[in-house]
Amino acid sequence: MGAAGMGLELAYTPQIARETRALYAKISHVVPEIEWPTFAPTIAAINKLKREKNAVILGHNYMTPEIFHCVSDFVGDSLALAREAGRTDAKIIVQAGVHFMAETSKIICPEKTVLIPDAKAGCSLAASITGADVRLLKAKYPGLPIVTYVNTSADVKAESDVCCTSGNAVAVVEEIAREYGVDTVIMIPDKYLAQNVANQTGVKVITWEGACEVHERFTAAEIRDYRKANPGIVVLSHPECPPEVVAESDFSGSTSAMINYVGKNRPARVVMVTECSMSDNVAAEYPDIEFVRPCNLCPHMKRITLAKILNSLQTMTTEVFVDPAISVRARKAIDRMLAVKLPAKA
Ligand code: 13P
Ligand code: SF4
């Protein structure tokens, strides 16, 4: 139910206009002024309620600009949000992202209330594998470590030796292969991430038939077409893309690594081969950079809206729970990941 459905007045009053002026300035490059009155009252209500309830909003880089720039307390990739969940003093975490991220936060802080504004915000990777599947893999390949992408359910994490995100997959695979003294690891469930990491590390991978429904749609031909149509363009891709797409790119990294690349290198023209909203969020910060925007939307991320975030805080729904016995085992795999040191940024 939206705020309006709850009988609340969410009018764009002169006071709301004044209160939210600085927030609009942050997104004025990507959100037309005429749309602001539809966002501002909900944004003001969320920010007020957040303070009253001692809640924090963790916003993934794929959130739309009004969520990313105007109500999120922390934004980042999956790794940064997991680290932030472990650091925050807030009593309530609202996960502006998908379900596996909220579960990860709950595993890291079982004593906190973790809310997801839409419980149906899933992920094609998380849906591709179960804990029972992992048990079968372990029986088939005894002795090989299982490296599991965070884009999975708690049940799958609980069966794993270590987790990884796109931000640390290379470092995690190298370290776990060294620790176990093996040249092969089982890396699940994203076959493309696994192949890309194998190409970068030389560690062999046994993987799973999972893929991200957003990134698997990009093709190498499409990247070559961007280059032809936009001479000099810098191509950045996410490692959930097929390896031939990564091979055509100038840089591949997690969503935050892509954002950092833009901030550091300030290319005149860039294409971010990933979910659409990310280009909007970065373009809002760098109006001088031209973003070519291929539009592949994540339908799960797009379930999260301002109205649902407000409703979530008002009604304290939907609360995310993880079975304590599973949580303890999943936590070990997450903690092992968080302990892996990343190489210093170049
Ligand atoms: P990162 O933000 O960790 O790169 O992950 C991308 C993603 O698809 C999350 O769902
Ligand atoms: Fe899952 Fe892909 Fe959506 Fe991320 S972008 S939540 S990996 S389906």
Side-chain angles (χ1 to χ4, degrees), residues 224-253:
R224 289 192 290 274
D225 286 346
Y226 294 140
R227 290 202 193 274
K228 244 184 257 155
N230 306 279
I233 196 164
V234 169
V235 180
L236 312 179
S237 66
H238 194 274
E240 288 169 11
C241 292
E244 56 278 15
V245 170
V246 169
E248 293 281 347
S249 309
D250 298 296
F251 174 81
S252 178

Side-chain angles (χ1 to χ4, degrees), residues 36-53:
W36 187 241
T38 65
F39 293 138
T42 317
I43 289 171
I46 291 170
N47 288 336
K48 183 165 176 276
L49 205 51
K50 227 169 49 177
R51 286 191 296 273
E52 286 169 7
K53 293 200 166 186

Side-chain angles (χ1 to χ4, degrees), residues 78 82 98-108 126 129-132 134-135 138 146-165 188-189 322 325-337:
S78 316
V98 291
H99 193 264
F100 75 79
M101 295 177 176
E103 254 190 2
T104 304
S105 292
K106 184 68 184 174
I107 292 166
I108 293 172
I129 191 161
T130 64
V134 187
R135 286 192 289 278
K138 287 202 274 199
I146 307 239
V147 182
T148 293
Y149 199 26
V150 283
N151 299 37
T152 45
S153 64
D155 200 25
V156 168
K157 290 182 177 79
E159 297 293 342
S160 310
D161 294 296
V162 64
C163 287
C164 75
T165 74
I188 52 172
V322 179
I326 290 176
S327 183
V328 167
R329 293 169 60 220
R331 172 90 195 232
K332 280 193 191 144
I334 293 173
D335 281 349
R336 197 167 187 178
M337 163 183 92

